[in-house]
């Protein structure tokens, strides 16, 4: 297809239909020996901020809230309208599928390093996406499912803005239907290793298939949970914080889920807000504050007491860093072994 400006030939990359990608590459669910989150899957919410980086460094709190809600509630994307609604919640510039060319790495399409799927292909691609996501996907490995949905969504690039955040939200929600913990690990990988994916891993996947990409995801997941398993204090702190929030919510899952997502997206939760939203008496609120104080999770330095998860976040960050290092070591070893 030639450039409309220069007439030079352009090379688009159109991903295979998602269903074909899954059939070709996604393995079935496998038993995992990781203990972190096995008995309390919501402990994996501590990874939300790592899964919500903007530019690879800065936490996008709104994206963390969005991911947390999708991970807990598993929204159904059963129509093009639901896909567009998700994209519009990310960027008000989205009105529907894009109608123009989309590319990166150059001032014009002729100079671009990569050109996404042509606009003419998007109606068919997204219709097949809806069909695949509406079908039973629990027969696929959760991490691989999330990773392949993320790859597909980024390369389809169906909107004028917000495609990265949209793709990671879609990937997490899809993968979590098979394995919530594994999907969260894949979402973290898609976030923290975005540059590595774009520059090294995905170009290889476009040329030769997704095997090495999925191998990297598996290395990351295994290293992440092995490190998290070695942090009993992290699990103990999360158990205390989550039990306090749940007790305050008094059996309302919707309320407790919303508060837990807020806690992890923002890195803390004011006790005054917890008390107001849960209708706590002064005596019960004081008891919650004391429980958090005893656990070392109470911060009163800002003039208002709040549940503060800075220590759990720091512990989780070291696990994420170790997982990233494991992936990079694996890639370096593979590069040395190549002829």
């Amino acid at each position: 297809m030639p450039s409309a400006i220069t007439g030079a030939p352009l090379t688009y990359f159109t991903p295979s239909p998602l269903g074909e990608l899954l059939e070709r590459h996604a393995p079935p669910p496998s038993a995992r020996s990781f203990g972190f989150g096995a008995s309390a899957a919501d402990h994996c919410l501590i990874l939300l901020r790592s899964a919500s980086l903007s530019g690879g460094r800065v936490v996008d709190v709104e994206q963390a809230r969005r991911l947390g809600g999708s991970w807990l509630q598993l929204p159904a994307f059963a129509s093009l309208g639901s896909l567009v609604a998700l994209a519009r919640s990310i960027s008000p510039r989205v009105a529907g599928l894009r109608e123009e060319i989309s590319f990166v790495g150059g001032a014009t399409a002729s100079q671009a390093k990569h050109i996404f799927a042509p606009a003419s292909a998007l109606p068919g691609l997204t219709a097949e996406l809806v069909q695949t996501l509406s079908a039973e996907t629990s027969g696929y490995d959760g991490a691989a499912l999330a990773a392949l949905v993320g790859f597909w969504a980024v390369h389809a690039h169906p909107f004028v803005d917000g495609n990265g955040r949209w793709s990671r939200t879609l990937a997490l929600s899809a993968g979590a239907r098979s394995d919530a913990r594994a999907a969260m690990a894949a979402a973290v990988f898609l976030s923290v290793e975005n540059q590595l994916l774009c520059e090294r891993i995905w170009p290889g996947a476009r040329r030769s298939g997704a095997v090495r990409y999925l191998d990297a995801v598996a290395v990351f997941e295994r290293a992440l949970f092995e490190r998290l398993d070695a942090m009993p204090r992290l699990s103990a702190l999360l158990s205390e914080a989550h039990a306090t929030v749940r007790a305050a919510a008094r059996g309302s899952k919707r309320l407790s889920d919303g508060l837990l997502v807020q806690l992890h997206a923002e890195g803390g939760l004011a006790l005054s807000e917890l008390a107001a939203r849960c209708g706590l008496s002064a005596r019960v609120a004081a008891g919650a504050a004391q429980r958090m104080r005893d656990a070392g999770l109470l911060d009163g330095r800002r003039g208002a007491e709040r549940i503060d998860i800075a220590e759990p976040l720091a512990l989780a960050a070291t696990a994420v860093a170790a997982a990233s290092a494991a992936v990079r070591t694996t890639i370096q070893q593979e590069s040395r072994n190549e002829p």
Side-chain angles (χ1 to χ4, degrees), residues 317-339:
T318 65
V320 171
S324 291
V327 170
R328 291 170 186 273
T329 297
T330 299
I331 290 175
Q332 289 171 358
Q333 291 173 341
E334 290 174 346
S335 296
R336 286 195 294 267
N337 292 335
E338 289 178 349

Side-chain angles (χ1 to χ4, degrees), residues 173-304:
S173 178
R177 293 178 181 276
S178 176
D179 186 320
R181 292 187 301 157
M184 182 65 81
V188 174
F189 180 69
L190 290 169
S191 173
V192 302
E193 295 298 354
N194 182 63
Q195 183 176 359
L196 181 66
L197 286 165
C198 292
E199 294 179 358
R200 296 193 61 178
I201 296 178
W202 281 344
R206 293 194 293 266
R207 290 191 304 269
S208 308
V211 173
R212 284 195 171 182
Y213 169 42
L214 295 182
D215 286 346
V217 174
V219 168
F220 184 90
E221 181 199 3
R222 182 169 58 253
L224 175 64
F225 282 113
E226 284 176 351
R227 184 58 66 95
L228 291 171
D229 280 349
M231 296 177 175
R233 178 162 175 78
L234 173 59
S235 292
L237 290 171
L238 292 175
S239 293
E240 284 295 317
H242 290 194
T244 298
V245 170
R246 284 210 175 82
R250 292 177 288 192
S252 171
K253 186 177 186 303
R254 181 174 182 178
L255 179 57
S256 64
D257 282 354
L259 289 166
L260 287 175
V261 168
Q262 181 177 343
L263 170 67
H264 287 279
E266 299 181 9
L269 177 64
L271 283 173
S272 59
E273 181 171 358
L274 180 69
R277 290 179 62 180
C278 297
L280 303 183
S281 66
R283 180 184 63 81
V284 173
Q290 187 60 51
R291 181 172 184 174
M292 292 296 88
R293 186 177 294 109
D294 293 342
L297 291 168
L298 192 70
D299 179 14
R301 293 171 297 173
R302 304 179 188 181

Side-chain angles (χ1 to χ4, degrees), residues 12-21 24 98 114-118 121-122 124-126 128-129 148-158 205-206:
Y12 293 78
F13 178 80
T14 302
S16 299
L18 178 61
E20 291 183 17
L21 280 179
R24 194 183 315 147
R98 63 175 167 84
H114 179 78
I115 305 176
F116 298 105
L122 295 178
L125 284 172
T126 51
E128 194 277 339
L129 170 67
L148 288 170
V149 170
F151 175 86
W152 183 95
V154 164
H155 287 88
H157 225 70
R206 293 194 293 266

